């Protein structure tokens, strides 16, 4: 298992802290079978067989990304973002729960602002290639 840490920009630290999101409570674990996200009190877990792809993205506005996870109203994706600069967007075959405790809302993708986005993408692609 590899643990990937989130990259916290200075401007994102205070809003994240209000929701108990800190470097100690936020990470992504990747192993041969699962992708698991912990983001303060929120979490997302899915088998790698449910992951259909990953791409690099970024250039997010602070108001749309700082603080708790954000729900995209256009596609229901979830964003776990601790900076606006660089992220990996992971897509799922079957949408997964993550933003609400009732698990009614399901997400077809997750955006993750990690310390080593290219390294995470390369590792995930190796796992997906089998």
């Amino acid at each position: 298992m590899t643990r990937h840490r989130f990259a916290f920009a200075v401007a994102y630290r205070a809003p994240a802290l209000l929701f108990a999101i800190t470097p100690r409570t936020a990470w992504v674990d990747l192993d041969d079978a699962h992708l698991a996200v912990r983001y303060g009190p929120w979490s997302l877990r899915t088998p790698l067989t449910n992951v259909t792809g990953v791409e690099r993205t970024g250039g997010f506005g602070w108001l749309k990304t700082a603080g708790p996870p954000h729900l995209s109203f256009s596609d229901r994706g979830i964003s776990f973002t601790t900076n606006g600069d660089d992220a990996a967007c992971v897509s799922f075959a079957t949408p997964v729960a993550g933003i609400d405790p009732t698990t009614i809302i399901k997400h077809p993708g997750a955006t993750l602002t990690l310390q080593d986005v290219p390294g995470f993408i390369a590792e995930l692609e190796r796992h997906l290639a089998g």
Side-chain angles (χ1 to χ4, degrees):
M1 177 196 64
T2 306
R3 178 157 287 176
H4 295 268
R5 298 285 179 178
F6 281 85
F8 283 80
V10 173
Y12 283 69
R13 287 183 181 266
L17 185 59
L18 293 173
F19 297 93
I21 302 161
T22 70
R24 298 181 104 182
T25 65
W27 62 81
V28 175
D29 285 339
L30 183 60
D31 63 28
D32 291 334
H34 292 92
L35 170 74
V37 179
R38 169 78 189 269
Y39 197 70
W42 292 272
S43 64
L44 177 151
R45 183 175 171 86
T46 192
L48 287 185
T49 55
N50 191 39
V51 175
T52 59
V54 61
E55 64 182 81
R56 197 167 185 179
T57 187
F60 312 119
W62 185 88
L63 286 176
K64 292 184 177 184
T65 55
H70 290 262
L71 176 67
S72 167
F73 292 109
S74 63
D75 69 358
R76 294 181 343 273
I78 188 170
S79 295
F80 300 104
T81 46
T82 54
N83 70 73
D85 301 324
D86 196 16
C89 184
V90 181
S91 52
F92 309 119
T94 302
V96 298
I99 204 163
D100 79 295
T102 66
T103 69
I104 291 171
I105 299 171
K106 305 283 177 139
H107 313 288
T111 300
L112 312 165
T113 55
L114 303 171
Q115 290 177 356
D116 181 10
V117 171
F120 171 78
I121 290 173
E123 182 181 354
L124 182 55
E125 287 177 337
R126 278 193 305 276
H127 281 287
L128 296 177

